[in-house]
Amino acid sequence: MLIDSHAHLDSPRYDDDREQMLRRAAEAGVGAVLAIGIGEGPAEMHLALDICREFNGKPGMPRLYASAGIYPHNAAEADDAAQAKLDNLLSQPEVIACGEIGLDYYHEGAAHPIQREGLICQLKIAAARRRPILIHCRPKDGATDAWDHLFEVLEEHWMSTGLGGVMHCFGGGWEQARRSLDLGFLISFAGNLTYPKAQSLREVAAQVPIDGVLVETDAPWLAPNSLRGKRNEPAFVTQTAQTLAEIHNLSAAEIAEATTKNFARLFKLPLGMGN
Ligand SMILES: [Zn+2]
């Protein structure tokens, strides 16, 4: 069984075929999906949980889990009401993670100090609810400032919780991967690992020990190379897993087993947590 550790199942791009899309994932061997609850802002943070509750228990579906969080560029919307909503969502059993949260210096949007403040306030809420975090970190091309600032924040406000988390859609170098592992984070690779130009990312992936990796789609975005530019969906996580398997000279089954074990360990779930 394979787990897609990051998919935006609440995207309106699935409104016409969400159930069939989830069935295709199950048929492809995807036993569980972590649905990311950021929506288009805090007003939609609950949609991922709603989707879990709508589909869990139906036969022929992957088991669904949810996260909730305020995306870096929505950090200005992290007012008292949004924080209370986040706290309440994180208290629900299906909501196993806080995210995706972090720092994004690549796109124009919220000012960097606002992003940092939004991140720190969510770390406090996640720590109190004992939920691991899902980090989005993206510097401008060729820079590492977002990573440097992120590690500063995590070392001061998160490390001591011992809860760890996931570096989602990892795009850093070995230095950032090593620091993440040292902080107890898993490194999650997405479809861009399969792109011909991603040789340096594949070299980093080769160095990450197998007990430190996850795979994800970041669907509906970032379809793997063979489907590039098309709508992505959890079924296609098999292609990223295949690439990661080749990088590590392992079978697809071994990568599936390792990533499932890693996911279960981080989120304190039983190994048979999928469908
Ligand atoms: Zn995402």
Side-chain angles (χ1 to χ4, degrees), residues 6 8 36 100 168 218 221:
H6 192 113
H8 297 264
I36 303 306
E100 55 187 286
H168 130 73
D218 203 14
W221 299 289

Side-chain angles (χ1 to χ4, degrees), residues 17 22-23 26 28 52 54 77 111 140 152 154 172 193 204 258 265 268:
D17 68 341
L22 290 169
R23 284 189 196 288
C52 286
E54 180 180 353
E77 296 164 60
K140 285 225 180 290
E152 244 172 60
L154 293 180
L193 189 72
V204 174
R265 188 178 69 241
K268 301 188 167 62

Side-chain angles (χ1 to χ4, degrees), residues 160-172:
S160 63
T161 67
L163 291 166
V166 178
M167 293 301 177
H168 130 73
C169 191
F170 186 77

Side-chain angles (χ1 to χ4, degrees), residues 70-88:
I70 300 164
Y71 190 69
H73 288 305
N74 299 113
E77 296 164 60
D79 58 12
D80 288 349
Q83 291 179 40
K85 179 173 176 172
L86 174 61
D87 181 59
N88 180 260

